[in-house]
Every structure is written in structure tokens, then in C-alpha cells.
Amino acid sequence: MSHTLEELREKLNGINHELLMLLNERAEIVRSIGEIKEKQGVPKFDPVRERAMLEELTRKNPGPFKDAEVKHIFKEIFIASLNLQEEDHKRQLLVSRKKQPESTVIDVQGTLIGGGSQVMIAGPCSVESYEQLRTVASALKDAGIKVMRGGAFKPRTSPYDFQGLGIEGLKMLKEVADEFGLATISEIVHPAHIELAEQYIDIIQIGARNMQNFELLKAAGEANIPVLLKRGIAATLEEFVHAAEYIAVGGNSKVMLIERGIRTYEKWTRNTLDISAVPLLKQETHLPVLVDVSHSTGRKDILLPCAKAALAAGADGIMAEVHPDPQTALSDAAQQLDIPQFQQLWEGILQSGLFAK
Ligand code: PEP
Ligand code: MN
């Protein structure tokens, strides 16, 4: 008796369903095997066992599928099974959103960063003198800015360039910030200086050149103040996130990320501002994500549109360099804004309505 097309299709539907159930039953067993292998610490992929299974299947294959097709189909099932085992045991990073869905909010002397609160960090590239710091601090205070930056340990490309005032610079920064009621951030380049940082500043900056200085990251993981980690000059986002994980796994959960431009072939900017890093880092991690418009562009004329783009992309803050007399600055003279230029930038940011404050 021959079947109608409808009847045959009905049968196929039934077989599809049985196959589906069997595949999932198989998947459950695969998962249990994955559990055992995880406990034993043996690799999930076992090529010898896989080949034995394929040989047995082809030996018992009654057709009409050819052996090669049977192998192909089962190979796909094996791949999907291995993926399932790996997915089950994928390590979730402490900094990942999967691990912690709610955004981390960092409190710096009463200024909240993250979770809808944005911060503007401004100040000179390097701490140079009391007078320089006081002029900037006063302008920041008038503008309602709460966090002042200033480098005391400067990792310079050339050993003959100004290396920063070191500990003296940190002391100066603290003294002036206290006078004006500001919080401070400064770069630390040596693991042994973390305790010094806790004494004099409110946020430790780890610079782009040190993003993968693992001993420094580990030391920052033991600090009890927040850390702002800069993206390396040629770091992928994966490397950036793993660098942040070094700090978090050491016990310091107060980590912030900052995109500061990456090196590309483009010459009109000092680096290339990777705006896509902002939504991606916010999606993948729960950490506040900031954008440094000065180091990413190396210019003064396009900071407002870049800052707006960063904020529109979801950035939790902006960093910009300001110097009372940029032409005489001991580092990054070309990119530092003078005070009126900074005030203009800040006005523009506030007027954009993108900065929640
Ligand atoms: C800085 O912020 O002073 C600095 C040196 O930046 P980066 O590490 O991003 O080059
Ligand atoms: Mn600089």
C-alpha cells in the first residue's frame, strides 16, 4: 500500500521529533561526562574516543546513507556536544556582566562614577608647579568639576624627556587638591608605589604602556582605592578586559576602564579613538567606562564632538588635559587645552544634554 505525500510528511515529522528527543537525551549524557572530566581535570575533547565512535557507526551503518555522510552528520553532533561541555564550564570573569548584571558604581570622595552618574576628569598632563596646579584647580572648582588629574610619574617615550616630579609631585597634587576640595587621580608605574598612592591620591591611574604590567596590576588589586585602567596602545578589548580582571581577582573591585585611543595608520590624530569600545565594554563588563579625548586625538580642536560621541555611546566619563599655558608644558604641549578652551569644552558638553552630572 503506497502512502500519500501527507502521510509520509507526517511520518517524517514524527521521526524528526524522535531524533530531537534523542539528540537532547544524548546532550544530557554529554553534559554529565563533561562534569566528570572537569572534576578529573582532563580535556573535554578526546580525539581517540571520537574516532572509535565514528568507526563503530560506519561499521554498523546499514545505509542508504554512505559512510562519509554518516561521519559528517555525527561529527557535527560531536562538535555541538563539545561546545555544550565548554559552555557549561566557561570561566566567567569577575568583571563580566554575566557574573554581575548590575553596573558597578564607584564613589570617589562623594562623586559617583557609573550606573548613570558621569564624571569629568581634567587637569594637566604632568604636575609641574604649585602655581600651575592652583591655576587649574581654581578653574576646575569654578566649573563644578570634582576630579583633578596630574601625572607625577611620567612614562615617557624618550628617557631624555621630563620624567615627572615623582613623590614630590604627588604631595603637591594632594596639597592643592585639598585646598580646593577636589579629588585626585595620578599615574602609578611601580608596584612598590601603591601604598604611596593610597596616602596621597584618590584614584590610581595605570597608563596605557603599563596595561599589561602584570605585577603592577596585581599590586593595584591589593589597593583599597579605585583604579582607572587605560587601554594599551595596541591592546584588543579582550586583553583590556583581562587586564582589568587581574585587578579584580586581587580583591579590588573598584576598577574603571578608559579608552584612550589605539595606534593605527592614521596620522591626523595621535591615536584612533575607538568609540565602539565604549558600548562593547559596557555590554561585556559591569565596570564604568570612560573616554580620554586628549590622548586619543592628540589635538585640541575636535574634543567636543569626540566627547559628545563618547557620551552618546554610553561613556561614564570624560578625561581631558588642561594646562594654564600649554605652550610651555613639560609634556603633551600640543594637546593640552588652556583654561578658556577647557571652559568652552565643558560648556559644550553641558549644553549637549548628554552629561547627567
Ligand atoms: C596620561 O594620561 O598622562 C598618559 C600618559 O596617558 P596614556 O597612558 O593613555 O598614554
Ligand atoms: Mn598626557
Side-chain angles (χ1 to χ4, degrees):
M1 195 186 86
S2 68
H3 297 275
T4 64
L5 183 60
E6 274 68 37
E7 281 167 345
L8 290 171
R9 281 185 168 162
E10 206 39 54
K11 273 192 144 183
L12 268 193
N13 287 347
I15 292 173
N16 282 348
H17 187 249
E18 272 176 59
L19 279 175
L20 180 68
M21 291 301 144
L22 280 171
L23 282 174
N24 280 307
E25 197 182 320
R26 187 184 190 285
E28 288 302 343
I29 296 171
V30 160
R31 279 188 130 163
S32 306
I33 292 174
E35 283 303 322
I36 296 170
K37 287 187 168 178
E38 181 70 20
K39 281 201 192 95
Q40 292 178 345
V42 297
K44 308 277 185 319
F45 178 55
D46 181 348
V48 177
R49 159 94 180 132
E50 200 174 292
R51 192 171 54 203
M53 284 194 290
L54 289 176
E55 275 169 8
E56 187 177 356
L57 284 162
T58 50
R59 206 171 50 243
K60 292 183 177 166
N61 176 26
F65 274 132
K66 295 197 181 79
D67 287 356
E69 273 149 352
V70 167
K71 270 192 185 163
H72 181 74
I73 292 165
F74 275 87
K75 187 77 198 162
E76 287 301 318
I77 295 173
F78 296 167
I79 292 170
S81 303
L82 190 63
N83 288 344
L84 191 66
Q85 287 177 334
E86 278 170 358
E87 197 57 40
D88 279 349
H89 297 283
K90 201 150 102 193
R91 179 166 281 117
Q92 276 182 6
L93 298 184
L94 295 174
V95 299
S96 72
R97 251 210 215 271
K98 282 201 192 88
K99 190 86 178 175
Q100 181 192 308
E102 64 279 6
S103 296
T104 285
V105 180
I106 294 175
D107 185 337
V108 181
Q109 308 268 21
T111 298
L112 300 182
I113 311 173
S117 301
Q118 291 146 315
V119 69
M120 178 74 190
I121 301 177
C125 179
S126 299
V127 170
E128 296 171 8
S129 68
Y130 278 109
E131 196 195 346
Q132 172 226 27
L133 282 183
R134 286 200 177 101
T135 311
V136 174
S138 162
L140 296 184
K141 193 184 165 135
D142 289 348
I145 281 143
K146 305 279 195 293
V147 187
M148 176 162 71
R149 61 154 286 147
F153 296 97
K154 297 302 298 177
R156 305 303 301 280
T157 302
S158 164
Y160 305 110
D161 286 339
F162 176 60
Q163 301 288 306
L165 299 180
I167 298 171
E168 269 323 297
L170 288 189
K171 289 183 183 165
M172 286 162 75
L173 191 64
K174 177 163 175 55
E175 203 178 314
V176 174
D178 285 350
E179 271 176 46
F180 289 84
L182 300 169
T184 56
I185 172 164
S186 198
E187 179 165 356
I188 294 298
V189 297
H190 200 289
H193 287 162
I194 295 292
E195 276 178 38
L196 202 66
E198 289 168 338
Q199 208 179 326
Y200 292 109
I201 56 179
D202 301 300
I203 307 172
I204 293 168
Q205 176 170 311
I206 294 189
R209 288 152 195 84
N210 273 321
M211 189 204 82
Q212 282 189 317
N213 179 338
F214 298 113
E215 295 311 312
L216 183 61
L217 297 174
K218 285 184 209 166
E222 287 175 17
N224 51 34
I225 58 172
V227 178
L228 178 74
L229 179 64
K230 295 195 121 189
R231 181 179 183 180
I233 287 166
T236 64
L237 295 178
E238 181 89 11
E239 288 162 345
F240 192 15
V241 168
H242 278 85
E245 184 74 4
Y246 263 89
I247 305 170
V249 83
N252 189 349
S253 57
K254 298 183 286 260
V255 185
M256 298 178 266
L257 303 173
I258 184 160
E259 157 66 28
R260 48 76 75 206
I262 47 174
R263 182 163 288 183
T264 70
Y265 48 80
E266 182 50 59
K267 293 227 169 72
W268 286 6
T269 49
R270 180 177 175 187
N271 291 291
T272 294
L273 171 56
D274 177 9
I275 281 290
S276 61
V278 177
L280 282 172
L281 292 169
K282 301 234 11 141
Q283 197 170 290
E284 294 303 314
T285 80
H286 51 78
L287 307 176
V289 178
L290 284 72
V291 168
D292 175 342
V293 288
S294 294
H295 291 89
S296 54
T297 63
R299 313 175 54 119
K300 310 174 192 215
D301 55 347
I302 55 166
L303 300 199
L304 180 57
C306 290
K308 285 197 220 169
L311 294 167
D316 298 292
I318 301 293
M319 178 183 272
E321 286 187 339
V322 196
H323 190 286
D325 183 13
Q327 278 184 339
T328 64
L330 298 178
S331 59
D332 286 350
Q335 73 191 29
Q336 299 202 62
L337 300 175
D338 62 22
I339 285 166
Q341 285 164 338
F342 172 73
Q343 284 160 340
Q344 218 178 333
L345 168 69
W346 183 228
E347 273 300 299
I349 290 175
L350 291 179
Q351 275 168 15
S352 74
L354 294 162
F355 194 91
K357 243 182 161 182

